[in-house]
Amino acid sequence: MAIKTVFYSFHYERDVNRVQLVRNINALEGQPLLNAQDWETVQRRGQQAVVDWIDEQMRYKRAVVVLIGQETASRPWVIYEIEKAWKEKKPLVGVRIHGLSSFGSADREGANPFDKASSVSGIPVFDPTVKDWRGDIDTRATYLKLADNLEGWVAQAKVRMW
């Protein structure tokens, strides 16, 4: 059975434009993206407000897709979301998005955030990044590869079995 409703975990400030590209593929249904002002409002209410927002958004999703950019692994809320999904036995998968265009440029590959999460192991991470003959990232080809593969990659998400 295909997984269609997912929770996207990502570094908001750096990657929200790349995440919007992923959402525009329309292969999966994710939580609503907050605009910067709404996200700041949630954060201003404190850590428990952020936890409550994450918990509510993740509650009825069938899987968690970590969209991995250059700095995703350093984000505490991303690690919280990974550990929560693992604990609740939600399928987890990572997809690298550093090769997508954000205001005309790609980023460098970031560390694997699953390595930073406690007791989480064996999560597949897929990388659609395509490079041209010079070794530069081709953001358009990367987007097309992601669009062709996203649904199949998410179907390979790993669930904690114990």
Side-chain angles (χ1 to χ4, degrees):
M1 178 164 72
I3 296 171
K4 290 287 191 178
T5 58
V6 301
F7 179 88
Y8 289 117
S9 177
F10 59 96
H11 177 194
Y12 186 89
E13 290 85 5
R14 187 168 193 102
D15 291 324
V16 69
N17 294 310
R18 291 180 179 92
V19 172
Q20 192 58 52
L21 290 173
V22 174
R23 291 177 56 83
N24 288 346
I25 292 169
N26 287 325
L28 306 168
E29 179 188 329
Q31 78 273 18
L33 285 185
L34 296 178
N35 65 35
Q37 185 177 0
D38 291 340
W39 177 236
E40 284 181 25
T41 300
V42 171
Q43 288 182 304
R44 258 195 308 265
R45 287 193 228 125
Q47 285 197 338
Q48 190 57 51
V50 176
V51 167
D52 293 346
W53 184 88
I54 292 167
D55 292 354
E56 180 60 30
Q57 295 303 316
M58 196 183 286
R59 179 168 289 126
Y60 300 108
K61 302 301 188 264
R62 296 186 47 94
V64 173
V65 179
V66 181
L67 298 173
I68 306 168
Q70 183 173 317
E71 297 177 2
T72 306
S74 69
R75 308 311 297 166
W77 291 120
V78 170
I79 304 309
Y80 170 78
E81 293 159 353
I82 291 168
E83 291 172 348
K84 176 179 176 56
W86 190 248
K87 179 179 162 216
E88 294 180 358
K89 297 186 177 181
K90 286 193 183 282
L92 263 169
V93 65
V95 177
R96 294 195 176 276
I97 61 169
H98 66 279
L100 296 175
S101 177
S102 179
F103 299 110
S105 65
D107 249 342
R108 289 190 316 277
E109 182 176 310
N112 183 339
F114 300 109
D115 294 341
K116 309 244 180 192
S118 297
S119 304
V120 177
S121 63
I123 307 302
V125 174
F126 297 97
D127 188 350
T129 307
V130 176
K131 295 188 177 183
D132 64 18
W133 62 273
R134 292 183 309 266
D136 296 328
I137 293 173
D138 181 334
T139 58
R140 180 163 162 57
T142 296
Y143 178 83
L144 293 172
K145 184 175 176 183
L146 178 63
D148 287 345
N149 291 287
L150 181 60
E151 199 170 347
W153 289 341
V154 172
Q156 297 176 59
K158 183 178 177 185
V159 179
R160 179 175 67 90
M161 302 305 287
W162 38 268

